[in-house]
């Protein structure tokens, strides 16, 4: 059996069926995302509560039809856990959500492997991390400072390493960092953009989709290279 065959998940569908199912599921994800973002713009909380839990399961189902690696599926499912936790407006739920997202970042880092990334980009991310944490630190609740700083380090590492999978994934990592920074500025009670939840979700959804797309593209390219070898 070829190496490409050993990397193909057992859940992968036949190409024709996978293509049809994938188009339906991606359309479902787009519809749920539109419903969620429109609800946030309209200030309709119930619409957000109904749409948000559908987002990551639909994206997970879509990437499975594309033969996604298990680490990508795990990362998205941990993101779903974070999404659900953050529906509750309480500090324990915030910490649970942050922990779930952190596990997702660990999965992403493992998925990225040891692919080459730019040292200059790493330096820029390091400066952004230090500057953001330093600015936020005095305004964060005392019991959240260490958890937020630790999470920020992991998130920044994920954002930097995401470029190992190409430009799409690299953009996804950057948007994930932006989305969570917007959350942190809200926790610190900094001035916010109008409808801050809209911007948080818009950047987050784009981030998860781009990370997934980059991972799938790299996985399929690897499979083609192995077959040719």
């Amino acid at each position: 059996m070829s190496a490409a065959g050993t990397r193909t998940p057992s859940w992968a569908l036949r190409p024709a069926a996978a293509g049809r199912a994938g188009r339906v599921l991606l359309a479902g994800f787009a519809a749920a995302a539109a419903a969620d973002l429109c609800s946030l713009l309209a200030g309709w909380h119930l619409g957000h509560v109904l749409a948000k839990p559908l987002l990551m399961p639909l994206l997970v189902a879509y990437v499975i039809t594309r033969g996604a690696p298990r680490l990508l599926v795990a990362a998205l499912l941990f993101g779903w856990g974070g999404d659900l936790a953050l529906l509750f407006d309480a500090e324990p739920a915030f910490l649970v959500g942050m922990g779930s997202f952190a596990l997702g970042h660990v999965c992403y880092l493992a998925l990225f492997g040891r692919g080459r990334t730019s040292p200059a980009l790493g330096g820029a991310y390091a400066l952004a991390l230090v500057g953001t944490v330093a600015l936020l630190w005095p305004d964060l609740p005392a019991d959240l400072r260490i958890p937020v700083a630790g999470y920020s380090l992991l998130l920044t590492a994920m954002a930097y390493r995401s470029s190992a999978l190409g430009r799409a994934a690299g953009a996804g990592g950057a948007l994930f960092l932006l989305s969570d920074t917007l959350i942190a500025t809200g926790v610190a009670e900094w001035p916010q953009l109008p409808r801050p939840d809209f911007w948080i979700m818009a950047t987050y959804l784009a981030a998860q989709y781009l990370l997934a797309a980059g991972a799938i593209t790299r996985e399929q390219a690897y499979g083609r290279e192995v077959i040719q070898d």
Side-chain angles (χ1 to χ4, degrees), residues 3 39 71 95 106 119 126 139 165 175 196 206 219:
S39 296
L71 283 170
L95 290 171
V106 171
D139 297 324
L165 296 189
L175 285 171
E219 184 78 359

Side-chain angles (χ1 to χ4, degrees), residues 29-228:
F29 171 72
D36 187 53
L37 294 175
C38 288
S39 296
L40 291 171
L41 280 176
W44 185 35
H45 182 67
L46 179 59
H48 174 60
V49 170
L50 293 175
K52 188 177 183 182
L54 301 176
L55 294 165
M56 289 305 106
L58 285 167
L59 187 56
V60 165
Y62 165 68
V63 300
I64 285 175
T65 68
R66 300 291 304 277
R70 288 178 173 83
L71 283 170
L72 173 60
V73 173
L76 294 173
L77 288 176
F78 279 123
W80 183 43
D83 291 345
L84 296 179
L86 294 184
L87 284 173
F88 300 92
D89 188 17
E91 187 173 303
F94 176 78
L95 290 171
V96 169
M98 187 163 60
S100 190
F101 282 121
L103 291 172
H105 297 326
V106 171
C107 292
Y108 274 130
L109 284 168
L111 177 64
F112 300 152
R114 297 183 180 181
R116 186 174 300 176
T117 49
S118 166
L121 181 62
Y125 271 121
L127 288 174
L129 170 65
V130 172
T132 302
V133 171
L135 289 171
L136 286 170
W137 188 271
D139 297 324
L140 290 170
D143 57 338
L144 289 181
R145 288 172 179 167
I146 298 299
V148 168
Y151 175 80
S152 298
L153 176 61
L154 182 60
L155 170 62
T156 304
M158 185 281 294
Y160 166 54
R161 290 293 302 147
S162 64
S163 61
L165 296 189
R167 292 182 180 178
L175 285 171
F176 213 134
L177 178 61
L178 174 58
S179 179
D180 281 5
T181 300
L182 292 174
I183 294 176
T185 60
V187 173
E189 298 184 353
W190 284 15
Q192 300 290 294
L193 294 168
R195 300 294 184 192
D197 289 345
F198 168 83
W199 298 109
I200 290 168
M201 283 303 299
T203 50
Y204 167 70
L205 291 174
Q208 291 282 42
Y209 174 75
L210 288 171
L211 284 165
I216 290 170
T217 300
R218 177 58 62 90
E219 184 78 359
Q220 292 174 341
Y222 178 89
R224 287 193 296 269
E225 290 170 1
V226 172
I227 290 171
Q228 290 170 359

